[in-house]
Short mmCIF file of all heavy atoms in Angstrom, two decimals:
data_model
loop_
_atom_site.label_atom_id
_atom_site.label_comp_id
_atom_site.label_asym_id
_atom_site.label_seq_id
_atom_site.Cartn_x
_atom_site.Cartn_y
_atom_site.Cartn_z
N ALA A 60 -240.40 65.50 -61.52
CA ALA A 60 -239.94 64.11 -61.35
C ALA A 60 -240.88 63.35 -60.46
O ALA A 60 -241.14 62.14 -60.68
CB ALA A 60 -238.53 64.08 -60.80
N LEU A 61 -241.42 63.99 -59.44
CA LEU A 61 -242.35 63.35 -58.51
C LEU A 61 -243.61 62.93 -59.24
O LEU A 61 -244.15 61.84 -59.01
CB LEU A 61 -242.67 64.28 -57.34
CG LEU A 61 -243.66 63.73 -56.31
CD1 LEU A 61 -243.02 62.56 -55.56
CD2 LEU A 61 -244.05 64.82 -55.31
N GLN A 62 -244.13 63.79 -60.11
CA GLN A 62 -245.32 63.47 -60.88
C GLN A 62 -245.11 62.24 -61.74
O GLN A 62 -245.98 61.38 -61.85
CB GLN A 62 -245.74 64.66 -61.72
CG GLN A 62 -246.23 65.84 -60.94
CD GLN A 62 -246.43 67.09 -61.80
OE1 GLN A 62 -246.20 67.07 -63.00
NE2 GLN A 62 -246.86 68.21 -61.18
N GLN A 63 -243.94 62.14 -62.33
CA GLN A 63 -243.61 60.98 -63.16
C GLN A 63 -243.55 59.71 -62.32
O GLN A 63 -244.05 58.66 -62.72
CB GLN A 63 -242.27 61.20 -63.87
CG GLN A 63 -242.30 62.35 -64.86
CD GLN A 63 -240.90 62.66 -65.39
OE1 GLN A 63 -239.92 61.98 -65.04
NE2 GLN A 63 -240.79 63.69 -66.22
N ALA A 64 -242.97 59.82 -61.12
CA ALA A 64 -242.86 58.66 -60.25
C ALA A 64 -244.24 58.20 -59.74
O ALA A 64 -244.51 57.02 -59.65
CB ALA A 64 -241.95 58.99 -59.05
N ALA A 65 -245.11 59.17 -59.42
CA ALA A 65 -246.44 58.86 -58.95
C ALA A 65 -247.25 58.16 -60.03
O ALA A 65 -247.97 57.18 -59.75
CB ALA A 65 -247.14 60.14 -58.49
N LEU A 66 -247.15 58.64 -61.24
CA LEU A 66 -247.89 58.01 -62.35
C LEU A 66 -247.37 56.60 -62.61
O LEU A 66 -248.15 55.68 -62.81
CB LEU A 66 -247.72 58.86 -63.62
CG LEU A 66 -248.46 58.34 -64.88
CD1 LEU A 66 -249.95 58.27 -64.59
CD2 LEU A 66 -248.17 59.25 -66.07
N SER A 67 -246.05 56.42 -62.57
CA SER A 67 -245.47 55.10 -62.79
C SER A 67 -245.91 54.13 -61.69
O SER A 67 -246.25 52.97 -61.96
CB SER A 67 -243.94 55.21 -62.82
OG SER A 67 -243.35 53.94 -62.90
N SER A 68 -245.94 54.59 -60.46
CA SER A 68 -246.32 53.76 -59.32
C SER A 68 -247.77 53.35 -59.41
O SER A 68 -248.15 52.19 -59.17
CB SER A 68 -246.06 54.50 -58.00
OG SER A 68 -246.53 53.73 -56.91
N LYS A 69 -248.64 54.28 -59.84
CA LYS A 69 -250.07 54.01 -59.96
C LYS A 69 -250.33 53.00 -61.07
O LYS A 69 -251.10 52.05 -60.91
CB LYS A 69 -250.83 55.31 -60.25
CG LYS A 69 -252.33 55.12 -60.36
CD LYS A 69 -253.03 56.45 -60.59
CE LYS A 69 -254.55 56.27 -60.69
NZ LYS A 69 -255.23 57.58 -60.91
N ASN A 70 -249.64 53.15 -62.19
CA ASN A 70 -249.82 52.23 -63.30
C ASN A 70 -249.36 50.83 -62.93
O ASN A 70 -249.98 49.83 -63.28
CB ASN A 70 -249.05 52.72 -64.54
CG ASN A 70 -249.67 53.97 -65.13
OD1 ASN A 70 -250.85 54.26 -64.93
ND2 ASN A 70 -248.89 54.73 -65.89
N LYS A 71 -248.24 50.75 -62.20
CA LYS A 71 -247.71 49.44 -61.77
C LYS A 71 -248.68 48.75 -60.83
O LYS A 71 -248.93 47.54 -60.94
CB LYS A 71 -246.34 49.62 -61.12
CG LYS A 71 -245.70 48.28 -60.75
CD LYS A 71 -244.36 48.49 -60.05
CE LYS A 71 -244.56 49.07 -58.67
NZ LYS A 71 -243.28 49.13 -57.92
N ALA A 72 -249.23 49.52 -59.87
CA ALA A 72 -250.16 48.93 -58.90
C ALA A 72 -251.42 48.44 -59.58
O ALA A 72 -251.93 47.36 -59.27
CB ALA A 72 -250.49 49.97 -57.82
N ASN A 73 -251.95 49.23 -60.51
CA ASN A 73 -253.18 48.84 -61.17
C ASN A 73 -253.00 47.64 -62.09
O ASN A 73 -253.92 46.83 -62.25
CB ASN A 73 -253.72 50.02 -62.01
CG ASN A 73 -254.26 51.12 -61.11
OD1 ASN A 73 -254.69 50.88 -60.00
ND2 ASN A 73 -254.27 52.36 -61.61
N SER A 74 -251.82 47.49 -62.66
CA SER A 74 -251.59 46.39 -63.59
C SER A 74 -251.18 45.09 -62.90
O SER A 74 -251.43 44.01 -63.41
CB SER A 74 -250.50 46.78 -64.62
OG SER A 74 -249.26 47.00 -63.97
N SER A 75 -250.56 45.22 -61.70
CA SER A 75 -250.04 44.02 -61.05
C SER A 75 -250.74 43.70 -59.74
O SER A 75 -250.41 42.71 -59.09
CB SER A 75 -248.55 44.21 -60.73
OG SER A 75 -248.37 45.24 -59.80
N GLY A 76 -251.72 44.50 -59.37
CA GLY A 76 -252.42 44.25 -58.11
C GLY A 76 -251.65 44.74 -56.90
O GLY A 76 -251.95 44.41 -55.79
N GLY A 77 -250.57 45.53 -57.14
CA GLY A 77 -249.83 46.10 -56.04
C GLY A 77 -248.71 45.26 -55.54
O GLY A 77 -248.30 45.38 -54.40
N SER A 78 -248.15 44.37 -56.35
CA SER A 78 -247.05 43.54 -55.89
C SER A 78 -245.82 44.35 -55.67
O SER A 78 -245.62 45.41 -56.27
CB SER A 78 -246.76 42.43 -56.89
OG SER A 78 -246.41 42.98 -58.15
N SER A 79 -244.92 43.88 -54.82
CA SER A 79 -243.76 44.64 -54.39
C SER A 79 -242.66 44.62 -55.44
O SER A 79 -242.46 43.63 -56.12
CB SER A 79 -243.23 44.04 -53.07
OG SER A 79 -242.05 44.68 -52.68
N ASP A 80 -241.94 45.72 -55.49
CA ASP A 80 -240.75 45.84 -56.37
C ASP A 80 -239.65 46.47 -55.55
O ASP A 80 -239.71 47.67 -55.23
CB ASP A 80 -241.08 46.70 -57.60
CG ASP A 80 -239.90 46.86 -58.52
OD1 ASP A 80 -238.83 46.33 -58.21
OD2 ASP A 80 -240.06 47.53 -59.57
N ALA A 81 -238.63 45.73 -55.24
CA ALA A 81 -237.59 46.22 -54.34
C ALA A 81 -236.80 47.35 -54.94
O ALA A 81 -236.11 48.07 -54.22
CB ALA A 81 -236.63 45.07 -53.98
N ASN A 82 -236.88 47.55 -56.25
CA ASN A 82 -236.14 48.62 -56.88
C ASN A 82 -236.95 49.89 -57.02
O ASN A 82 -236.51 50.83 -57.65
CB ASN A 82 -235.67 48.17 -58.28
CG ASN A 82 -234.69 47.03 -58.20
OD1 ASN A 82 -233.85 46.99 -57.30
ND2 ASN A 82 -234.79 46.07 -59.11
N GLY A 83 -238.16 49.96 -56.47
CA GLY A 83 -239.01 51.12 -56.66
C GLY A 83 -239.03 52.06 -55.51
O GLY A 83 -239.99 52.78 -55.32
N GLY A 84 -238.01 52.09 -54.66
CA GLY A 84 -238.04 52.89 -53.46
C GLY A 84 -237.71 54.34 -53.64
O GLY A 84 -238.16 55.18 -52.86
N GLY A 85 -236.93 54.71 -54.65
CA GLY A 85 -236.48 56.08 -54.79
C GLY A 85 -237.25 56.84 -55.85
O GLY A 85 -238.15 56.33 -56.48
N LEU A 86 -236.85 58.10 -56.04
CA LEU A 86 -237.45 58.92 -57.07
C LEU A 86 -236.41 59.20 -58.13
O LEU A 86 -235.22 59.24 -57.87
CB LEU A 86 -237.93 60.26 -56.46
CG LEU A 86 -239.00 60.16 -55.36
CD1 LEU A 86 -239.28 61.53 -54.80
CD2 LEU A 86 -240.26 59.57 -55.93
N PRO A 87 -236.85 59.43 -59.38
CA PRO A 87 -235.90 59.76 -60.43
C PRO A 87 -235.27 61.11 -60.19
O PRO A 87 -235.80 61.95 -59.46
CB PRO A 87 -236.77 59.77 -61.70
CG PRO A 87 -238.16 60.02 -61.21
CD PRO A 87 -238.24 59.37 -59.86
N ASP A 88 -234.08 61.32 -60.78
CA ASP A 88 -233.41 62.60 -60.66
C ASP A 88 -234.30 63.70 -61.26
O ASP A 88 -234.86 63.51 -62.35
CB ASP A 88 -232.06 62.60 -61.36
CG ASP A 88 -231.08 61.66 -60.68
OD1 ASP A 88 -231.25 61.44 -59.45
OD2 ASP A 88 -230.19 61.15 -61.36
N PRO A 89 -234.40 64.85 -60.59
CA PRO A 89 -235.22 65.94 -61.14
C PRO A 89 -234.60 66.48 -62.40
O PRO A 89 -233.37 66.48 -62.56
CB PRO A 89 -235.22 66.97 -60.02
CG PRO A 89 -233.97 66.69 -59.24
CD PRO A 89 -233.79 65.21 -59.31
N PRO A 90 -235.43 67.00 -63.32
CA PRO A 90 -234.86 67.61 -64.53
C PRO A 90 -234.08 68.84 -64.21
O PRO A 90 -234.38 69.55 -63.26
CB PRO A 90 -236.12 67.91 -65.36
CG PRO A 90 -237.23 68.06 -64.36
CD PRO A 90 -236.89 67.08 -63.28
N LYS A 91 -233.07 69.11 -65.03
CA LYS A 91 -232.27 70.31 -64.80
C LYS A 91 -233.09 71.56 -65.13
O LYS A 91 -233.80 71.60 -66.11
CB LYS A 91 -231.01 70.27 -65.66
CG LYS A 91 -230.04 69.17 -65.27
CD LYS A 91 -228.80 69.18 -66.13
CE LYS A 91 -227.84 68.05 -65.71
NZ LYS A 91 -226.61 68.05 -66.54
N SER A 92 -232.96 72.57 -64.30
CA SER A 92 -233.74 73.80 -64.49
C SER A 92 -233.02 74.93 -63.82
O SER A 92 -232.24 74.75 -62.88
CB SER A 92 -235.14 73.63 -63.89
OG SER A 92 -235.83 74.86 -63.88
N SER A 93 -233.29 76.13 -64.30
CA SER A 93 -232.71 77.32 -63.70
C SER A 93 -233.53 77.81 -62.51
O SER A 93 -233.12 78.74 -61.81
CB SER A 93 -232.61 78.45 -64.75
OG SER A 93 -233.90 78.75 -65.28
#
Side-chain angles (χ1 to χ4, degrees):
L61 179 67
Q62 291 171 1
Q63 295 172 3
L66 180 60
S67 175
S68 177
K69 182 177 180 180
N70 290 339
K71 184 182 70 173
N73 288 335
S74 63
S75 65
S78 61
S79 175
D80 179 359
N82 295 322
L86 298 176
D88 293 333
K91 294 181 180 180
S92 171
S93 59

